[in-house]
Amino acid sequence: MSVFTTAELAYLRGGGPHRLGRLATVGADGVPHVVPLGWSLDPTATFIEIGGRNLVSSKKFRDVSATGRAALVIDDVLPPWRPRGVEIRGRAEAVPGPAAHIRLTPERVISWGLHEGDTIEATYRARDVKEGGRS
């Protein structure tokens, strides 16, 4: 069972301009780090996978290895000014190897602007995710 709502899944699977996300991690020194990157939703829609060139030698990979935490924002803006997106916070695992990647398992999901005619104030939805599904 997916941790995402129907509207969130439609947005995440929709492709288009929101294929780029921003991953936030925190280094051993406590300093935040944010980087734009590509991502993919696993087939079961229960976690996000992040890859990239030279991933194992990257700061984001080291940060996730050290803390086991990360947050990802995937968003865009429709004209004239309709921001929409999904923020995923949770446990992150740095998986080394030939196909190195970061696996982000949601613990908190926040979404906004995913329904036609919504304003950001009216559609901001935040919820904690229970193990194995939505809360």
Side-chain angles (χ1 to χ4, degrees), residues 5-134:
T5 67
T6 302
E8 290 163 351
L9 283 172
Y11 181 75
L12 294 171
R13 290 179 170 153
H18 52 275
R19 296 307 307 168
L20 185 66
R22 287 172 293 285
L23 184 73
T25 61
V26 176
D29 56 1
V31 175
H33 178 249
V34 179
V35 61
L37 45 68
W39 57 274
S40 62
L41 182 64
D42 84 292
T44 64
T46 55
F47 62 86
I48 302 289
E49 196 166 278
I50 297 157
R53 293 178 45 166
N54 302 316
L55 184 65
V56 174
S57 63
S58 69
K59 178 165 176 33
K60 61 184 166 282
F61 197 86
R62 289 190 307 274
D63 288 353
V64 166
S65 293
T67 67
R69 309 293 297 166
L72 178 69
V73 172
I74 302 155
D75 65 341
D76 63 357
V77 178
L78 297 176
W81 180 253
R82 185 177 150 218
R84 60 186 184 157
V86 178
E87 176 185 342
I88 303 147
R89 301 178 194 175
R91 293 185 323 272
E93 178 185 2
V95 181
H101 61 278
I102 294 170
R103 178 177 293 145
L104 177 59
T105 302
E107 292 180 338
R108 185 160 179 80
V109 177
I110 302 165
S111 61
W112 60 94
L114 300 182
H115 300 90
E116 186 67 36
D118 283 346
T119 63
I120 195 164
E121 297 82 8
T123 63
Y124 183 85
R125 294 175 178 90
R127 69 190 180 289
D128 293 322
V129 176
K130 292 182 180 177
E131 194 68 34
R134 286 184 272 164

